[in-house]
Amino acid sequence: GDSVTQMEGPVTLSEEAFLTINCTYTATGYPSLFWYVQYPGEGLQLLLKATKADDKGSNKGFEATYRKETTSFHLEKGSVQVSDSAVYFCALSDQGYGQNFVFGPGTRLSVLP
Amino acid sequence: DTAVSQTPKYLVTQMGNDKSIKCEQNLGHDTMYWYKQDSKKFLKIMFSYNNKELIINETVPNRFSPKSPDKAHLNLHINSLELGDSAVYFCASNSDRANTGELFFGEGSRLTVL
């Protein structure tokens, strides 16, 4: 079945550092790819998405590129802020009826001032 | 207006009890989900309903029974609660017509079984 693998956390960075969170996937079809973010005590919310190969999703200074050849969707940000501290989930959805989303295990990011 | 709302937000109960968590979405979506998030933040799908029809039913104990009275509501009833049921349960919805659409999550319901 489909699956998503993320780098294990926690990741601790200083403010203004460069962030990369690796994500790779396995899927039988051509999934859409997503990054969701969960701030403390809240539900998940969409950060960015890409629906086909070579698409780049971006939002709030974060970006990720759908790489079909390496089955990857790594999340990057050039300069993190304390407010970016959260848990980040990579996810895919197949194109079928009912849209079964598959989530990675999440990566906790802590940004220190 | 909250798009996906769950109640209660916190639930503390004894082993063996029966409890329900309610979910409502006002986004006009036709697909709703229940996810379970354990203490390590791992998120696992439990059920999915599309227009009141059960679409996804992952391997969960049959003590868990979803009920969808209409496409805007998906409630989760849990019988004979066990310690291992302690988790945060998230309701979510999306539009099946937008095949690449995002999931909209509720704020979660933290269940603690003593």
Side-chain angles (χ1 to χ4, degrees):
Chain A
D2 296 351
S3 66
V4 175
T5 304
Q6 288 178 239
M7 62 187 290
E8 290 196 19
V11 174
T12 303
L13 296 173
S14 297
E15 208 164 20
E16 298 184 2
F18 184 86
L19 168 71
T20 300
I21 301 178
N22 290 339
C23 170
T24 57
Y25 67 91
T26 57
T28 51
Y30 300 94
S32 295
L33 302 175
F34 304 82
W35 277 101
Y36 281 82
V37 57
Q38 184 179 25
Y39 299 103
E42 298 183 11
L44 281 74
Q45 55 186 277
L46 180 68
L47 180 60
L48 53 84
K49 69 178 183 184
T51 59
K52 60 183 188 297
D54 300 325
D55 267 3
K56 177 186 281 189
S58 60
N59 186 25
K60 300 181 181 179
F62 291 89
E63 58 182 36
T65 301
Y66 190 142
R67 300 285 187 203
K68 187 164 174 278
E69 63 277 12
T70 54
T71 61
S72 65
F73 193 55
H74 305 321
L75 182 68
E76 296 182 337
K77 186 174 185 182
S79 176
V80 293
Q81 305 300 312
V82 172
S83 57
D84 294 327
S85 298
V87 181
Y88 292 82
F89 293 88
C90 186
L92 66 81
S93 77
D94 60 33
Q95 300 295 315
Y97 182 65
Q99 280 200 61
N100 186 8
F101 280 76
V102 177
F103 286 84
T107 301
R108 183 182 297 277
L109 169 67
S110 295
V111 180
L112 306 177
Chain B
D1 256 357
T2 305
V4 181
S5 59
Q6 301 177 222
T7 54
K9 193 169 182 179
Y10 299 97
L11 188 54
V12 180
T13 188
Q14 301 286 332
M15 278 176 57
N17 284 350
D18 303 339
K19 291 294 177 186
S20 293
I21 306 172
K22 296 184 177 182
C23 179
E24 176 183 4
Q25 55 94 3
N26 61 7
L27 298 167
H29 289 163
D30 40 29
T31 306
M32 296 184 71
Y33 307 77
W34 276 109
Y35 283 85
K36 179 180 180 181
Q37 186 176 48
D38 63 24
S39 58
K40 295 183 179 179
K41 299 294 186 183
F42 188 74
L43 203 64
K44 182 177 179 182
I45 189 167
M46 300 174 70
F47 302 103
S48 169
Y49 269 73
N50 180 276
N51 281 318
K52 303 193 297 177
E53 181 185 349
L54 181 65
I55 301 300
I56 296 172
N57 183 1
E58 293 297 308
T59 307
V60 299
N62 56 16
R63 299 181 294 104
F64 290 79
S65 53
K67 285 187 171 53
S68 182
D70 56 60
K71 72 176 192 177
H73 295 83
L74 181 61
N75 303 323
L76 183 65
H77 188 76
I78 314 170
N79 289 328
S80 303
L81 279 157
E82 299 177 359
L83 293 177
D85 297 333
S86 296
V88 181
Y89 292 85
F90 285 100
C91 178
S93 73
N94 69 350
S95 170
D96 197 55
R97 285 183 294 279
N99 207 22
T100 57
E102 68 180 274
L103 277 174
F104 291 79
F105 283 84
E107 292 188 339
S109 297
R110 181 178 293 278
L111 171 65
T112 303
V113 182
L114 304 176

